Short mmCIF file of all heavy atoms in Angstrom, two decimals:
data_model
loop_
_atom_site.label_atom_id
_atom_site.label_comp_id
_atom_site.label_asym_id
_atom_site.label_seq_id
_atom_site.Cartn_x
_atom_site.Cartn_y
_atom_site.Cartn_z
N LEU A 64 -39.25 -124.83 111.38
CA LEU A 64 -38.21 -124.03 110.79
C LEU A 64 -38.59 -122.54 110.74
O LEU A 64 -37.76 -121.68 111.03
CB LEU A 64 -37.89 -124.52 109.39
CG LEU A 64 -37.22 -125.89 109.26
CD1 LEU A 64 -36.97 -126.23 107.80
CD2 LEU A 64 -35.89 -125.96 110.04
N ASP A 65 -39.83 -122.24 110.41
CA ASP A 65 -40.31 -120.83 110.39
C ASP A 65 -40.17 -120.18 111.71
O ASP A 65 -39.95 -118.96 111.80
CB ASP A 65 -41.74 -120.77 109.93
CG ASP A 65 -41.94 -121.06 108.45
OD1 ASP A 65 -40.92 -121.15 107.69
OD2 ASP A 65 -43.10 -121.22 108.00
N THR A 66 -40.35 -120.95 112.80
CA THR A 66 -40.32 -120.36 114.15
C THR A 66 -38.98 -120.62 114.85
O THR A 66 -38.84 -120.31 116.03
CB THR A 66 -41.46 -120.94 115.01
OG1 THR A 66 -41.32 -122.36 115.12
CG2 THR A 66 -42.83 -120.60 114.44
N SER A 67 -38.04 -121.20 114.11
CA SER A 67 -36.72 -121.56 114.66
C SER A 67 -36.83 -122.47 115.83
O SER A 67 -36.02 -122.33 116.81
CB SER A 67 -35.94 -120.30 115.02
OG SER A 67 -35.76 -119.47 113.87
N ALA A 68 -37.78 -123.37 115.84
CA ALA A 68 -37.95 -124.32 116.96
C ALA A 68 -36.96 -125.49 116.82
O ALA A 68 -36.70 -125.94 115.69
CB ALA A 68 -39.35 -124.85 116.96
N SER A 69 -36.42 -125.88 117.93
CA SER A 69 -35.54 -127.03 117.95
C SER A 69 -36.36 -128.30 118.04
O SER A 69 -37.58 -128.27 118.21
CB SER A 69 -34.61 -126.93 119.16
OG SER A 69 -35.36 -127.12 120.35
N ALA A 70 -35.71 -129.45 117.98
CA ALA A 70 -36.41 -130.72 118.10
C ALA A 70 -37.17 -130.80 119.42
O ALA A 70 -38.31 -131.26 119.50
CB ALA A 70 -35.41 -131.90 117.99
N ALA A 71 -36.54 -130.31 120.48
CA ALA A 71 -37.18 -130.34 121.81
C ALA A 71 -38.36 -129.38 121.89
O ALA A 71 -39.29 -129.59 122.60
CB ALA A 71 -36.16 -129.99 122.89
N GLU A 72 -38.33 -128.33 121.08
CA GLU A 72 -39.40 -127.34 121.10
C GLU A 72 -40.57 -127.67 120.18
O GLU A 72 -41.55 -126.97 120.21
CB GLU A 72 -38.83 -125.95 120.68
CG GLU A 72 -37.82 -125.41 121.74
CD GLU A 72 -37.04 -124.22 121.20
OE1 GLU A 72 -36.76 -124.15 119.98
OE2 GLU A 72 -36.70 -123.36 122.04
N LEU A 73 -40.47 -128.74 119.44
CA LEU A 73 -41.58 -129.18 118.58
C LEU A 73 -42.83 -129.40 119.43
O LEU A 73 -43.94 -129.08 118.99
CB LEU A 73 -41.22 -130.45 117.81
CG LEU A 73 -42.33 -131.04 116.93
CD1 LEU A 73 -42.60 -130.06 115.74
CD2 LEU A 73 -41.94 -132.38 116.41
N ASP A 74 -42.64 -129.88 120.61
CA ASP A 74 -43.75 -130.15 121.52
C ASP A 74 -44.66 -128.95 121.82
O ASP A 74 -45.81 -129.09 122.10
CB ASP A 74 -43.29 -130.75 122.83
CG ASP A 74 -42.83 -132.19 122.71
OD1 ASP A 74 -42.96 -132.74 121.61
OD2 ASP A 74 -42.39 -132.75 123.69
N VAL A 75 -44.09 -127.76 121.70
CA VAL A 75 -44.86 -126.56 122.07
C VAL A 75 -45.53 -125.87 120.84
O VAL A 75 -46.26 -124.91 121.00
CB VAL A 75 -44.01 -125.54 122.85
CG1 VAL A 75 -43.51 -126.12 124.16
CG2 VAL A 75 -42.88 -124.97 122.00
N LEU A 76 -45.29 -126.41 119.67
CA LEU A 76 -45.95 -125.79 118.48
C LEU A 76 -47.45 -126.08 118.52
O LEU A 76 -47.88 -127.23 118.71
CB LEU A 76 -45.42 -126.43 117.21
CG LEU A 76 -44.02 -126.05 116.77
CD1 LEU A 76 -43.68 -126.74 115.45
CD2 LEU A 76 -43.83 -124.55 116.62
N PRO A 77 -48.26 -125.02 118.43
CA PRO A 77 -49.72 -125.21 118.52
C PRO A 77 -50.22 -126.01 117.29
O PRO A 77 -49.76 -125.81 116.15
CB PRO A 77 -50.25 -123.80 118.43
CG PRO A 77 -49.12 -122.89 118.76
CD PRO A 77 -47.90 -123.62 118.32
N LEU A 78 -51.15 -126.93 117.53
CA LEU A 78 -51.74 -127.67 116.43
C LEU A 78 -52.39 -126.75 115.45
O LEU A 78 -52.37 -126.99 114.23
CB LEU A 78 -52.78 -128.68 116.99
CG LEU A 78 -52.26 -129.88 117.74
CD1 LEU A 78 -53.43 -130.79 118.15
CD2 LEU A 78 -51.26 -130.63 116.94
#
Side-chain angles (χ1 to χ4, degrees):
L64 291 180
D65 288 349
T66 60
S67 301
S69 67
E72 296 167 325
L73 179 66
D74 285 357
V75 300
L76 288 180
L78 289 183

